[in-house]
Amino acid sequence: MLSKTIQEALNKQVAMEAASSQAYLAMASWAEIQAGLDGVTEFFYQQSDEERMHMLKLIRYINERGGFAVVPPLEQPIITFQSLQRVFEEFLKHEVQVSESINALVGLSLEEMDFATHNFLQWYVSEQIEEENLARTLNDKLELVGDDKSGIYLFDRDIMVHRNATSKGE
Ligand code: FEO
């Protein structure tokens, strides 16, 4: 049985994963329509799906442990961006925040001596290492590319290859 404190903290994480899914969906739509970048579009559609899966995993866990998973309301994320660089900066910023939140949850699970939750969260710890690593690598690449159109073309063409190499795609 989950303590009230852990349950509330896990439900906050549910909301955060849902917000991530929305944020990346908006990035996909921007890339598709405003930027016409097929690779980046696909990348963010998939990222958005992954975040939904992260949310679902938490929901199932909360309910399985005798808690009540609360489906959060939807908030509109940022829907328009000045440049591709801004999109990826936001992506990294977002992932860093998620990692901090997961780390705080891990700390809380130890404080509360909830070892099952601590164990459950290890998957998220590994996932965040991958996600942050991917976001940093893509930001570094884009910094090199700058405003160079052929560079952006290549970045867009290669992003999925890169994603599959860096992330497990879970
Ligand atoms: Fe589920 Fe990328 O944080």
Side-chain angles (χ1 to χ4, degrees):
M1 190 82 179
L2 293 173
S3 73
K4 198 168 175 298
T5 314
I6 291 282
Q7 186 178 185
E8 275 172 12
L10 288 171
N11 269 319
K12 270 197 194 145
Q13 193 61 37
V14 165
M16 197 166 198
E17 302 292 345
S20 304
S21 182
Q22 289 285 96
Y24 300 157
L25 196 54
M27 288 175 184
S29 184
W30 179 87
E32 187 163 33
I33 300 304
Q34 307 294 337
L37 296 166
D38 294 347
V40 175
T41 299
E42 187 54 32
F43 175 84
F44 280 112
Y45 277 135
Q46 286 195 19
Q47 282 299 125
S48 176
D49 278 350
E50 277 192 25
E51 299 303 347
R52 186 174 188 282
M53 187 270 284
H54 296 174
M55 176 192 72
L56 217 53
K57 215 174 159 76
L58 279 157
I59 287 179
R60 286 177 179 277
Y61 177 75
I62 294 167
N63 286 348
E64 197 181 283
R65 294 282 318 281
F68 176 51
V70 179
V71 175
L74 291 179
E75 249 180 64
Q76 186 173 49
I78 300 172
I79 57 165
T80 188
F81 304 88
Q82 280 168 354
S83 64
L84 191 62
Q85 274 81 359
R86 290 290 302 133
V87 172
F88 280 87
E89 280 166 25
E90 276 298 319
F91 174 43
L92 176 59
K93 204 171 96 186
H94 208 91
E95 288 304 324
V96 168
Q97 282 170 356
V98 172
S99 298
E100 285 170 1
S101 177
I102 294 289
N103 288 342
L105 256 174
V106 170
L108 186 69
S109 67
L110 284 179
E111 258 173 51
E112 296 270 310
M113 297 214 291
D114 183 342
F115 301 116
T117 298
H118 183 265
N119 186 48
F120 167 78
L121 289 169
Q122 296 313 303
W123 183 87
Y124 286 85
V125 172
S126 316
E127 183 69 10
Q128 281 316 116
I129 293 170
E130 301 229 350
E131 300 259 295
E132 259 194 58
N133 181 26
L134 177 61
R136 278 185 220 286
T137 307
L138 293 173
N139 270 278
D140 289 348
K141 285 204 157 201
L142 272 180
E143 201 176 309
L144 286 176
V145 165
D147 291 334
D148 178 51
K149 285 209 167 26
S150 55
I152 289 182
Y153 171 83
L154 291 175
F155 177 88
D156 186 52
R157 195 195 62 181
D158 294 342
I159 187 169
M160 290 307 287
V161 177
H162 203 78
R163 179 186 194 277
N164 296 335
T166 318
S167 155
K168 291 192 298 287
E170 284 172 316

